[in-house]
Amino acid sequence: MRIAVELARKMAAVAPRLDTELANVLRSSARSLIRVGEYERALAATEEAVRISRRGLVTGRGRYRSGLAMSLCLQADLLSIQGRHSAAVAAAREAITVCRHGIAADPRRFGPALLASLDTLARALDELGDHQQALPPGEEHVRILRGLTPHRPAYRHALATGLHMVGVYASGTGRFTDALRATDEAIQLYQRLDQEQPGTFASKVVTATENRDLFLDRLQRAGDVVLGPYPLCALCEPVNGGLVAVRHRQRHLQVGDRQACVDSEIADILAILWEHGCDTVSCCEDTDGRAEVVPARGHAGRVVAVLAGMGIPAEVTDGVVHFHRPALPPQPTSSSSRARILVGRLLGATLRH
């Protein structure tokens, strides 16, 4: 890369408009130096790229803006690697400002730099002990990745890592319930990725699970009700009497005006029961090998009848409807219900809804 840098430098000396290419080559050289651990030399190359882009912007040439954003982003990352977190914060914040100015016109060019700078800013602030300030850029980083992953699955790893870090930042502020939700969602993503690439993400699953256990312990010590490892969603937690975590993973289900977290393995069945006017108090996907639904007073017969219509035999004991889950869950008849069975960052046991 040294020869490429010198050649680009000579070309820029002859044709100043080629200084943008020199900045590009300097950034490429810095990345190569990072790979071999030459961080000081990488930083020097990046700082030169920053200076070139700043000069260009002073003359009013907007084509330098994206180069400045990328150079500042790389500079912030290098400063953070070297433990110079305050300087990293300043560089990352400037990079974010530059990106926000240009992203509407050119999201492909400024988007990646914005993502990386938000992540670097959050991590550097966390290293400085400023967890409260670290949380907003960490959360914005995750929000952007959420929008990208449905169309670009390659971002799932970054999303899982971002969620894991949001859990760390939230715990630093004492918001352990938020930390629990973010970390549990990260675990789910890591587990899916590890199924696709066995063993690749196993250590990340372990680390995130250890963090989740720590948050559960802190919540329990604070007097919250913890029945299992899975957190309730932010909508349902306030109406469950201090319950923050339960035994089974949940989905957030909405049918008409009614919505609640229910055990994920019987969410489709609950949707059909609600569609047919069955009022339920609570549910559980697995109690001694069977699922159960607690209907509201006077609704047990209707629940049994609707289950029978789905081909699911059921029996009522002490007001509780018991049944075995079918191998293939039935589908809700209403398209609006199907659209609203949302995989939430929640959990399940016998929740009131």
Side-chain angles (χ1 to χ4, degrees), residues 29 33-34 39 65 67 95 99 102 107 121 130 146 166 169 174 192 220 228 230 250 285 304 306 315 352:
S29 173
L33 291 165
I34 289 171
Y39 300 120
R65 184 168 285 111
C99 288
L121 175 60
D130 196 344
R146 282 196 199 284
V166 164
Y169 309 145
R192 291 188 202 118
Q220 199 162 23
Y230 304 108
Q250 300 282 287
E285 67 185 38
V304 171
V306 175
E315 61 182 45
R352 300 195 65 81

Short mmCIF file of all heavy atoms in Angstrom, two decimals, residues 29 33-34 39 65 67 95 99 102 107 121 130 146 166 169 174 192 220 228 230 250 285 304 306 315 352:
data_model
loop_
_atom_site.label_atom_id
_atom_site.label_comp_id
_atom_site.label_asym_id
_atom_site.label_seq_id
_atom_site.Cartn_x
_atom_site.Cartn_y
_atom_site.Cartn_z
N SER A 29 -5.07 2.19 3.04
CA SER A 29 -3.80 1.87 3.69
C SER A 29 -3.99 1.71 5.20
O SER A 29 -3.44 0.79 5.82
CB SER A 29 -2.79 2.98 3.40
OG SER A 29 -1.60 2.79 4.14
N LEU A 33 -3.17 -1.51 7.58
CA LEU A 33 -2.30 -1.41 8.75
C LEU A 33 -3.00 -1.90 10.02
O LEU A 33 -2.36 -2.51 10.89
CB LEU A 33 -1.84 0.04 8.93
CG LEU A 33 -0.87 0.56 7.86
CD1 LEU A 33 -0.76 2.07 7.92
CD2 LEU A 33 0.51 -0.09 8.05
N ILE A 34 -4.30 -1.66 10.11
CA ILE A 34 -5.07 -2.16 11.26
C ILE A 34 -5.01 -3.68 11.32
O ILE A 34 -4.86 -4.27 12.41
CB ILE A 34 -6.53 -1.67 11.18
CG1 ILE A 34 -6.61 -0.17 11.44
CG2 ILE A 34 -7.40 -2.42 12.20
CD1 ILE A 34 -7.97 0.43 11.16
N TYR A 39 -1.39 0.31 14.56
CA TYR A 39 -2.44 1.29 14.82
C TYR A 39 -1.96 2.74 14.73
O TYR A 39 -2.69 3.61 14.25
CB TYR A 39 -3.06 1.03 16.20
CG TYR A 39 -3.68 -0.33 16.32
CD1 TYR A 39 -3.24 -1.24 17.28
CD2 TYR A 39 -4.69 -0.74 15.45
CE1 TYR A 39 -3.80 -2.50 17.39
CE2 TYR A 39 -5.25 -2.00 15.55
CZ TYR A 39 -4.80 -2.88 16.51
OH TYR A 39 -5.35 -4.13 16.59
N ARG A 65 -17.56 15.66 1.35
CA ARG A 65 -18.29 15.39 2.60
C ARG A 65 -18.29 13.90 2.95
O ARG A 65 -18.08 13.53 4.10
CB ARG A 65 -19.72 15.92 2.50
CG ARG A 65 -20.50 15.75 3.80
CD ARG A 65 -21.79 16.54 3.79
NE ARG A 65 -21.55 17.96 3.97
CZ ARG A 65 -21.72 18.89 3.06
NH1 ARG A 65 -22.17 18.55 1.86
NH2 ARG A 65 -21.48 20.16 3.31
N GLY A 67 -16.17 11.63 2.06
CA GLY A 67 -14.81 11.23 2.44
C GLY A 67 -14.49 11.66 3.86
O GLY A 67 -13.84 10.91 4.62
N ALA A 95 -18.34 12.86 12.95
CA ALA A 95 -18.71 11.98 11.83
C ALA A 95 -20.22 11.85 11.71
O ALA A 95 -20.79 11.89 10.61
CB ALA A 95 -18.07 10.60 12.02
N CYS A 99 -22.61 12.89 8.59
CA CYS A 99 -23.48 11.87 7.98
C CYS A 99 -24.93 12.34 7.94
O CYS A 99 -25.62 12.16 6.94
CB CYS A 99 -23.38 10.56 8.74
SG CYS A 99 -21.82 9.68 8.51
N GLY A 102 -25.67 14.58 5.07
CA GLY A 102 -25.66 14.07 3.70
C GLY A 102 -26.50 12.84 3.44
O GLY A 102 -26.70 12.46 2.27
N PRO A 107 -28.00 7.98 0.89
CA PRO A 107 -27.96 7.04 2.02
C PRO A 107 -26.95 5.92 1.84
O PRO A 107 -26.39 5.43 2.82
CB PRO A 107 -29.40 6.50 2.08
CG PRO A 107 -29.98 6.79 0.75
CD PRO A 107 -29.33 8.03 0.25
N LEU A 121 -19.33 5.63 18.99
CA LEU A 121 -19.66 6.65 20.00
C LEU A 121 -20.22 6.00 21.25
O LEU A 121 -19.80 6.32 22.38
CB LEU A 121 -20.67 7.64 19.42
CG LEU A 121 -21.20 8.71 20.38
CD1 LEU A 121 -20.07 9.56 20.93
CD2 LEU A 121 -22.25 9.57 19.69
N ASP A 130 -19.90 6.82 30.99
CA ASP A 130 -21.08 7.65 30.78
C ASP A 130 -22.17 6.80 30.12
O ASP A 130 -22.49 6.96 28.93
CB ASP A 130 -20.73 8.85 29.89
CG ASP A 130 -21.79 9.94 29.95
OD1 ASP A 130 -22.91 9.65 30.42
OD2 ASP A 130 -21.50 11.08 29.53
N ARG A 146 -32.46 -2.68 12.54
CA ARG A 146 -33.77 -3.35 12.43
C ARG A 146 -34.39 -3.10 11.06
O ARG A 146 -35.03 -3.96 10.47
CB ARG A 146 -34.72 -2.84 13.50
CG ARG A 146 -34.51 -3.41 14.87
CD ARG A 146 -35.75 -3.11 15.72
NE ARG A 146 -35.47 -3.22 17.13
CZ ARG A 146 -35.33 -4.36 17.78
NH1 ARG A 146 -35.43 -5.49 17.13
NH2 ARG A 146 -35.08 -4.37 19.08
N VAL A 166 -26.64 -2.72 23.78
CA VAL A 166 -27.70 -1.90 24.38
C VAL A 166 -28.04 -2.45 25.75
O VAL A 166 -28.30 -1.69 26.70
CB VAL A 166 -28.94 -1.85 23.47
CG1 VAL A 166 -30.17 -1.34 24.23
CG2 VAL A 166 -28.68 -0.94 22.27
N TYR A 169 -25.38 -1.13 28.04
CA TYR A 169 -25.55 0.29 28.35
C TYR A 169 -26.73 0.51 29.30
O TYR A 169 -26.65 1.29 30.25
CB TYR A 169 -25.78 1.11 27.07
CG TYR A 169 -24.77 0.89 25.97
CD1 TYR A 169 -25.15 0.93 24.62
CD2 TYR A 169 -23.43 0.64 26.26
CE1 TYR A 169 -24.23 0.73 23.61
CE2 TYR A 169 -22.51 0.43 25.25
CZ TYR A 169 -22.92 0.47 23.93
OH TYR A 169 -22.00 0.26 22.91
N GLY A 174 -28.97 1.32 35.30
CA GLY A 174 -29.90 0.73 36.26
C GLY A 174 -31.21 0.28 35.67
O GLY A 174 -32.12 -0.15 36.39
N ARG A 192 -30.18 -18.33 16.34
CA ARG A 192 -30.55 -18.60 14.95
C ARG A 192 -29.32 -18.62 14.05
O ARG A 192 -29.17 -19.48 13.17
CB ARG A 192 -31.54 -17.55 14.46
CG ARG A 192 -32.91 -17.65 15.11
CD ARG A 192 -33.90 -16.69 14.44
NE ARG A 192 -35.00 -16.40 15.35
CZ ARG A 192 -35.31 -15.22 15.82
NH1 ARG A 192 -34.59 -14.16 15.47
NH2 ARG A 192 -36.34 -15.04 16.62
N GLN A 220 -34.51 -9.60 40.58
CA GLN A 220 -35.09 -10.36 41.68
C GLN A 220 -34.69 -9.78 43.03
O GLN A 220 -35.51 -9.66 43.95
CB GLN A 220 -34.65 -11.82 41.58
CG GLN A 220 -35.52 -12.79 42.35
CD GLN A 220 -35.32 -14.21 41.89
OE1 GLN A 220 -34.28 -14.57 41.33
NE2 GLN A 220 -36.31 -15.05 42.12
N GLY A 228 -38.94 -17.00 35.41
CA GLY A 228 -38.17 -17.70 34.39
C GLY A 228 -37.22 -16.73 33.71
O GLY A 228 -37.10 -15.57 34.12
N TYR A 230 -37.32 -15.41 30.60
CA TYR A 230 -37.79 -14.64 29.45
C TYR A 230 -38.53 -13.38 29.87
O TYR A 230 -39.50 -13.45 30.63
CB TYR A 230 -38.68 -15.50 28.56
CG TYR A 230 -38.01 -16.76 28.10
CD1 TYR A 230 -38.40 -18.00 28.61
CD2 TYR A 230 -36.99 -16.71 27.17
CE1 TYR A 230 -37.77 -19.16 28.20
CE2 TYR A 230 -36.36 -17.88 26.75
CZ TYR A 230 -36.75 -19.10 27.27
OH TYR A 230 -36.13 -20.24 26.87
N GLN A 250 -42.60 -15.51 24.68
CA GLN A 250 -43.92 -14.98 24.34
C GLN A 250 -43.99 -14.41 22.93
O GLN A 250 -42.98 -14.09 22.32
CB GLN A 250 -44.28 -13.85 25.30
CG GLN A 250 -44.33 -14.26 26.74
CD GLN A 250 -45.60 -15.00 27.07
OE1 GLN A 250 -46.67 -14.42 27.15
NE2 GLN A 250 -45.50 -16.31 27.26
N GLU A 285 -48.24 -22.81 27.69
CA GLU A 285 -48.03 -23.77 26.60
C GLU A 285 -47.63 -25.15 27.09
O GLU A 285 -47.77 -26.13 26.36
CB GLU A 285 -46.98 -23.25 25.62
CG GLU A 285 -45.57 -23.16 26.19
CD GLU A 285 -44.59 -22.52 25.24
OE1 GLU A 285 -44.97 -21.57 24.53
OE2 GLU A 285 -43.42 -22.99 25.20
N VAL A 304 -63.80 -24.98 24.64
CA VAL A 304 -63.73 -26.40 24.27
C VAL A 304 -64.32 -26.62 22.89
O VAL A 304 -63.76 -27.37 22.07
CB VAL A 304 -64.46 -27.27 25.33
CG1 VAL A 304 -64.57 -28.71 24.84
CG2 VAL A 304 -63.71 -27.22 26.67
N VAL A 306 -64.57 -24.44 20.35
CA VAL A 306 -63.71 -23.88 19.31
C VAL A 306 -62.47 -24.77 19.11
O VAL A 306 -62.04 -25.00 17.97
CB VAL A 306 -63.31 -22.43 19.65
CG1 VAL A 306 -62.31 -21.89 18.62
CG2 VAL A 306 -64.54 -21.53 19.68
N GLU A 315 -60.25 -30.98 27.70
CA GLU A 315 -61.05 -31.30 28.89
C GLU A 315 -60.91 -30.17 29.88
O GLU A 315 -59.92 -29.44 29.89
CB GLU A 315 -60.61 -32.62 29.51
CG GLU A 315 -59.16 -32.63 29.99
CD GLU A 315 -58.77 -34.00 30.56
OE1 GLU A 315 -59.10 -35.02 29.94
OE2 GLU A 315 -58.12 -33.99 31.64
N ARG A 352 -51.40 -12.87 32.90
CA ARG A 352 -52.77 -12.35 32.86
C ARG A 352 -52.89 -11.43 31.66
O ARG A 352 -52.02 -10.67 31.35
CB ARG A 352 -53.10 -11.61 34.16
CG ARG A 352 -52.97 -12.50 35.38
CD ARG A 352 -53.63 -11.86 36.59
NE ARG A 352 -55.07 -11.72 36.42
CZ ARG A 352 -55.94 -12.70 36.62
NH1 ARG A 352 -55.51 -13.89 36.97
NH2 ARG A 352 -57.22 -12.49 36.46
#
